[in-house]
Amino acid sequence: MPSSSPRILAGCPTAAPYAYCLEQWIAGVRALTYTPLTLAAADNSETDAYAQTLASYGLRTLRYKAPSHTLARDKLVHSRNMLRNLVLDEGYDYFFSVEQDIVPPPNTLQLLLRHRQPVVSGVYYKYFTLQYKGADGKIIAKKKAMPLLAHSAQDPKKMHFISAEEVEGDHFFPVRYCGLGCLLIHRSVLERISFRVDQGSEGLAFDDVYFCNDALAAGFSLYVATA
């Protein structure tokens, strides 16, 4: 790992439907107390209007005009690889993948960097629909916010999602899966693997699952820093 302050590119794929949180996201990422940091976005909207909006905020803006009927996950992959290429071509040390609906705390990058690991996730939550049987035997569905993190399960094809209680306090531990919403990735990882999906998987898995699988297969470990 570099001894001087690493150069970091922060960014994500985006599209016009995320305009509702654009200003909060820009303000949040620009409030990160770390330099040198560049903010970029890879827009895959149907028209050029949103890319023009992004550029008006002074963002490094990449544009992907997807062919009609392109699946959402394929747009994500192409856009994310545009950001990967920017990291590699322009000599950045890290890619901070921070999705547009995530506003990280100002000291996030210092907390992730201090562990000096090539892949480190922060903690953020997603609503999952959990199903269980009630006292009367009927199936009850309930939404619950849980970290987008998972341990390995006994069945290698499955994962055991991590509970909110497991990420309370200041911890650092390995995981089997993490999302791409708040993830610091060293360029050595991006030199080995690109973002992808399996075209034969019928759209069930997105590129975060494949990224984790590929990183682990390449010999990298995945970690989460909870504070």
Side-chain angles (χ1 to χ4, degrees), residues 6-167:
R7 293 178 65 222
I8 299 178
L9 179 79
C12 66
T14 188
Y18 284 91
Y20 77 94
C21 57
L22 176 61
E23 290 189 355
Q24 295 94 322
W25 180 72
I26 292 174
V29 178
R30 285 183 172 163
L32 290 169
T33 55
Y34 180 89
T35 55
L37 179 67
T38 301
L39 179 56
D43 175 39
N44 54 55
S45 302
E46 293 183 4
T47 70
D48 293 333
Y50 192 55
Q52 293 167 4
T53 298
L54 295 170
S56 73
Y57 283 95
L59 299 184
R60 182 75 181 271
T61 303
L62 310 176
R63 179 77 175 103
Y64 171 49
K65 294 184 179 181
S68 60
H69 308 301
T70 302
L71 294 176
R73 67 179 197 151
D74 293 329
K75 291 181 182 180
L76 285 173
V77 166
H78 191 98
S79 299
R80 219 180 304 271
N81 277 320
M82 293 176 75
L83 293 164
R84 169 187 177 265
N85 292 340
L86 191 59
V87 171
L88 298 178
D89 293 345
E90 298 194 1
Y92 288 93
D93 299 297
Y94 286 92
F95 174 41
F96 180 41
S97 178
V98 53
E99 299 288 8
Q100 198 173 320
D101 53 1
I102 302 293
V103 178
N107 64 340
T108 295
L109 286 173
Q110 287 90 337
L111 295 175
L112 299 181
L113 282 166
R114 66 176 176 165
H115 299 287
R116 302 182 66 82
Q117 293 294 331
V119 185
V120 184
S121 177
V123 177
Y124 62 100
Y125 290 75
K126 177 183 176 180
Y127 277 103
F128 289 83
T129 300
L130 306 179
Q131 293 186 339
Y132 58 95
K133 281 188 178 181
D136 57 1
K138 292 183 179 179
I139 299 297
I140 299 172
K142 182 179 179 181
K143 284 191 174 182
K144 183 177 181 180
M146 297 175 62
L148 203 58
L149 300 160
H151 293 305
S152 296
Q154 266 191 325
D155 183 342
K157 294 183 179 180
K158 296 182 179 180
M159 295 182 289
H160 171 65
F161 278 90
I162 292 172
S163 68
E165 290 74 19
E166 290 178 80
V167 295

Side-chain angles (χ1 to χ4, degrees), residues 119 148 159 175-180 183 193 195 206-218 220-222:
V119 185
L148 203 58
M159 295 182 289
V175 294
R176 169 63 181 82
Y177 160 81
C178 52
L180 291 165
L183 188 66
I193 62 176
F195 297 101
F206 278 73
D207 54 342
D208 54 356
V209 173
Y210 290 97
F211 172 80
C212 293
N213 290 344
D214 291 346
L216 291 168
F220 297 102
S221 297
L222 314 175

